[in-house]
């Protein structure tokens, strides 16, 4: 198909004012003939949402707070898009954006709020460009079943999962031996255990390769982020967790690899830039040109690899335990971790307590609910809610007691 005859792909963007949303729109600006933004949703950045509505003229704009609907309508009333944009809000607004007729829903929301609109889009038959990790972590089995039932592709946007997606192109699942997720190692890769245990918030936020939000930066420091990616990979690619390996690669040039049954290993390389996996998802099965620096292997000189230290970074093994324990366990671990990270950022607990809290809540769930399925959205939300309550209880009991090894009781 020639460029002249190619029709533009209609995009719905959940989280348009966040990092993924902004970079998605940057790709769109570079290829206005290829992509058409039909609906967008955002949270609290109202002024930026108005600017996006004026620039891209989507048919539907959703904002989190209903009180901001009139603000956005008034701001658009004197613009060129006046009368062309329907402004909605809240959970219903997210569902409207996700199910507005489109060719791809870019799921760039952060947290559990992204799960319901993604499921709605899948049930409406729309392809998903997935950057919302919690969707697969909280309800990966459910999402996979729904996607299969409605014949909907899920194209990952996380750089590691995008790399695997690209390396798997055209292959049969029974040809795959294992998936290899690469990991930068975070800011504490070379630190001794004692120094890690006394790490400050500022030190944990100082990622060596990426500029990220506070939550994901702390997850990178604990390696929980890589653990969550293991869970995500298990469901995205229907590969058992024991066939998903993690290797530390400090340069972040190889984004992930696939080993095949003949022991061939395919890798996807590139300079760290999220616009690459975003563009892969947007243009799939084609590609679009990006104005980015070339990867100079000669200048780079070397690529280094090492095993992750699971003793210094126990959160990685917690993720493997969760994904093999029950369909609900990853949602429990994810929710507990969110509470733990928030407590650390608020200087309520020390760095090692993140893993201890996570372990306590996960073990409490598995003690009574090993094998629990997630058959619907309510089950995932219930597991998330229980874990948040149990984690808050743990904090009350153990805050300030760095040597505590307290368990949690209750119905998970």
């Amino acid at each position: 198909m020639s460029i002249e005859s190619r029709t533009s792909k209609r995009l719905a963007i959940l989280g348009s004012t966040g990092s993924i949303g902004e970079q998605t729109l940057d790709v769109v600006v570079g290829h206005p003939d290829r992509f058409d933004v039909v609906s967008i949703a955002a949270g609290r950045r109202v002024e930026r949402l108005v600017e996006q509505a004026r620039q891209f003229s989507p048919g539907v704009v959703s904002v989190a707070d209903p009180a901001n609907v009139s603000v956005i309508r008034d701001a658009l009333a004197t613009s060129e898009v006046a009368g062309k944009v329907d402004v909605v809000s809240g959970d219903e607004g997210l569902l409207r954006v996700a199910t507005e007729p489109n060719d791809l829903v870019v799921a760039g929301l952060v947290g559990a709020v992204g799960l319901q609109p993604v499921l709605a889009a899948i049930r409406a038959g729309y392809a998903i460009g997935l950057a919302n990790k919690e969707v697969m972590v909280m309800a990966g089995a459910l999402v996979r079943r729904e996607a299969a039932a409605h014949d909907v592709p899920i194209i990952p946007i996380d750089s590691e999962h995008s790399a695997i997606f690209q390396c798997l192109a055209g292959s049969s699942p029974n040809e795959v031996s294992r998936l290899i997720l690469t990991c930068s190692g975070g800011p504490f890769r070379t630190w001794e255990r004692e120094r890690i245990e006394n790490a400050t918030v500022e030190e944990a936020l100082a990622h060596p390769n990426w500029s990220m939000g506070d939550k994901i930066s702390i997850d990178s420091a604990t390696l929980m982020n890589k653990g969550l990616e293991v869970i995500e990979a298990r469901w995205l690619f229907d590969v058992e967790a024991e066939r998903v390996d993690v290797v530390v690669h400090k340069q972040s040039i190889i984004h992930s690899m696939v080993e095949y049954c003949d022991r061939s290993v395919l890798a996807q390389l590139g300079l760290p830039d999220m616009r690459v996996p975003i563009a892969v998802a947007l243009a799939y099965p084609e590609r679009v040109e990006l104005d980015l620096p070339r990867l100079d292997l000669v200048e780079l000189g070397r690529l280094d690899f090492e095993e992750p230290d699971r003793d210094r970074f126990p959160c990685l093994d917690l993720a493997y335990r969760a994904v093999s324990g029950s369909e609900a366990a990853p949602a429990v671990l994810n929710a507990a971790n969110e509470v733990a990270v928030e407590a650390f950022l608020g200087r309520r607990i020390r760095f090692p307590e993140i893993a201890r809290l996570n372990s306590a809540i996960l073990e409490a769930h598995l003690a009574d609910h090993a094998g629990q399925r997630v058959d619907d959205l309510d089950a995932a939300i219930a597991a998330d809610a229980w874990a948040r309550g149990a984690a808050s209880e743990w904090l009350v009991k153990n805050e300030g007691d760095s040597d505590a090894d307290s368990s949690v009781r209750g119905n998970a």
Side-chain angles (χ1 to χ4, degrees), residues 82-145:
K84 300 178 182 178
V85 179
D86 190 6
V87 184
V88 294
S89 65
D91 292 342
E92 290 301 317
L94 291 177
L95 295 177
R96 173 78 185 280
V97 167
T99 56
E100 193 74 5
N102 67 76
D103 299 302
L104 180 74
V105 176
V106 177
L109 295 170
V110 176
V113 69
L115 180 54
Q116 186 175 15
V118 165
L119 282 171
I122 290 172
R123 289 163 180 162
Y126 299 133
I128 307 296
L130 187 65
N132 186 185
K133 192 186 310 295
E134 289 80 6
V135 167
M136 299 307 287
V137 171
M138 285 185 64
L142 172 63
V143 172
R144 182 166 185 82
R145 287 192 290 266

Side-chain angles (χ1 to χ4, degrees), residues 210 252-253 255 269-274 276 292-296:
W210 301 89
S252 295
I253 296 297
H255 297 295
L269 288 73
L271 296 173
D273 195 305
M274 281 305 299
V276 174
L292 299 176
R294 293 181 184 273
L295 173 62
D296 189 331

Side-chain angles (χ1 to χ4, degrees), residues 36-369:
D36 179 25
V37 179
V38 297
S39 58
I40 57 177
R44 294 183 296 272
R45 296 184 61 197
V46 176
E47 290 185 5
R48 180 58 185 142
L49 186 58
V50 169
E51 292 173 356
Q52 291 176 345
R54 287 172 172 163
Q55 181 177 2
F56 297 97
S57 189
V60 179
V61 170
S62 180
V63 65
D65 188 348
N68 287 321
V69 170
S70 60
V71 175
I72 295 173
R73 285 175 177 164
D74 291 345
L76 296 178
T78 57
S79 70
E80 294 182 358
V81 300
K84 300 178 182 178
V85 179
D86 190 6
V87 184
V88 294
S89 65
D91 292 342
E92 290 301 317
L94 291 177
L95 295 177
R96 173 78 185 280
V97 167
T99 56
E100 193 74 5
N102 67 76
D103 299 302
L104 180 74
V105 176
V106 177
L109 295 170
V110 176
V113 69
L115 180 54
Q116 186 175 15
V118 165
L119 282 171
I122 290 172
R123 289 163 180 162
Y126 299 133
I128 307 296
L130 187 65
N132 186 185
K133 192 186 310 295
E134 289 80 6
V135 167
M136 299 307 287
V137 171
M138 285 185 64
L142 172 63
V143 172
R144 182 166 185 82
R145 287 192 290 266
E146 291 288 339
H150 294 87
D151 195 24
V152 167
I154 300 178
I155 306 169
I157 288 178
D158 271 354
S159 60
E160 294 83 358
H161 299 96
S162 175
I164 291 172
F165 178 80
Q166 293 175 65
C167 292
L168 286 172
S171 65
S172 171
N174 60 13
E175 296 172 341
V176 175
S177 175
R178 62 179 174 141
L179 310 180
I180 306 170
L181 296 170
T182 57
C183 169
S184 71
F188 304 147
R189 182 180 63 85
T190 61
W191 287 29
E192 298 294 331
R193 180 193 298 274
E194 183 177 353
R195 187 181 177 194
I196 292 174
E197 290 184 350
N198 293 291
T200 67
V201 171
E202 290 74 21
E203 288 169 333
L205 289 173
H207 193 280
N209 297 347
W210 301 89
S211 177
M212 306 178 292
D214 288 357
K215 164 62 166 57
I216 194 171
S217 294
I218 301 303
D219 283 350
S220 178
T222 63
L223 295 198
M224 178 57 83
N225 188 52
K226 202 53 51 178
L228 297 178
E229 288 176 7
V230 169
I231 296 170
E232 191 177 3
R234 186 267 176 271
W235 296 117
L236 276 172
F237 306 113
D238 196 21
V239 171
E240 300 86 351
E242 55 266 28
R243 291 200 289 135
V244 181
D245 287 346
V246 174
V247 62
V248 175
H249 169 51
K250 66 180 182 180
Q251 291 96 347
S252 295
I253 296 297
I254 294 181
H255 297 295
S256 278
M257 297 170 272
V258 174
E259 180 187 81
Y260 286 90
C261 57
D262 62 0
R263 297 302 181 257
S264 296
V265 178
L266 299 188
Q268 188 263 327
L269 288 73
L271 296 173
D273 195 305
M274 281 305 299
R275 285 172 291 181
V276 174
I278 289 170
V280 168
L282 263 56
Y284 183 81
E286 300 174 341
R287 289 185 182 261
V288 294
E289 184 174 347
L290 295 176
D291 185 16
L292 299 176
R294 293 181 184 273
L295 173 62
D296 189 331
L297 291 173
V298 174
E299 181 181 357
L300 182 64
R302 59 182 289 171
L303 299 172
D304 297 290
F305 306 94
E306 61 191 64
E307 289 283 346
D309 190 325
R310 296 169 185 266
D311 292 329
R312 286 185 298 145
F313 304 102
C315 283
L316 181 57
D317 277 343
L318 290 179
Y320 280 95
R321 177 152 172 73
V323 76
S324 63
S326 79
E327 289 184 5
V332 167
L333 179 61
N334 178 69
N337 183 64
E338 288 189 7
V339 174
V341 170
E342 183 178 0
F344 174 67
L345 289 169
R347 292 171 169 79
R348 295 176 59 193
I349 61 174
R350 294 168 57 241
F351 188 78
E353 271 68 74
I354 297 175
R356 291 176 186 146
L357 186 159
N358 289 340
S359 179
I361 306 310
L362 176 61
E363 294 305 326
H365 165 76
L366 293 178
D368 296 324
H369 297 276

Side-chain angles (χ1 to χ4, degrees), residues 392-409:
S392 297
E393 179 184 335
W394 189 97
L395 284 173
V396 170
K397 290 181 178 179
N398 300 296
E399 197 170 350
D401 182 5
S402 62
D403 297 321
D405 186 20
S406 180
S407 61
V408 179
R409 296 291 181 263

